[in-house]
Amino acid sequence: MGTALIYLVVLLGVAAAFFFGASAIFGRGEELAPIPKSATPTWLPEPGETIDVEDVRALRFQQALRGYKMAEVDWVLERLAIELHRVHGELDVAHGRIAELEAAERTGGGSGGTAVSGGAG
């Protein structure tokens, strides 16, 4: 009986030493500010509003057991894809308008700068 107790104490001591050693070596990783369990730090402007650089830089994802919550990351990627699609559409329209104006200018059909009106605030 005494030998079994000694083995048990030694086993617990070795397990505790292994646990604390691994904790000291590997730690807990990057420390993030705690958030309430019901809240999510992931926020972007409403659909239809523009997403700017500061919105993307301010993004924070709630950590899950193996990284980040996939639903939050998927949601952000989808919103960014929609925004990029919108921006690329506007860019294509602008490039098309520039090409039209350059073609009109080359053919001599330019109206002397009245085709584009710039509004000063």
Side-chain angles (χ1 to χ4, degrees):
M1 180 70 181
T3 304
L5 187 58
I6 291 174
Y7 283 136
L8 183 62
V9 169
V10 169
L11 180 66
L12 289 175
V14 169
F18 180 75
F19 173 78
F20 289 117
S23 295
I25 291 171
F26 298 113
R28 290 183 37 164
E30 181 180 316
E31 293 292 325
L32 296 176
I35 61 170
K37 289 188 178 196
S38 62
T40 177
T42 309
W43 179 88
L44 285 175
E46 293 296 320
E49 296 179 18
T50 58
I51 298 173
D52 63 8
V53 175
E54 293 306 316
D55 293 330
V56 175
R57 286 189 177 139
L59 279 175
R60 296 292 176 262
F61 295 103
Q62 189 173 359
Q63 287 194 328
L65 182 62
R66 293 182 154 226
Y68 297 102
K69 287 190 173 183
M70 289 174 39
E72 287 182 356
V73 175
D74 290 343
W75 174 76
V76 168
L77 291 175
E78 181 62 27
R79 285 279 290 124
L80 291 175
I82 291 169
E83 183 71 13
L84 283 173
H85 182 71
R86 184 189 65 77
V87 168
H88 283 287
E90 290 177 2
L91 187 60
D92 289 342
V93 168
H95 283 162
R97 182 69 179 139
I98 289 171
E100 287 176 11
L101 292 173
E102 287 175 345
E105 186 175 292
R106 279 193 300 267
T107 60
S111 56
T114 59
V116 177
S117 62

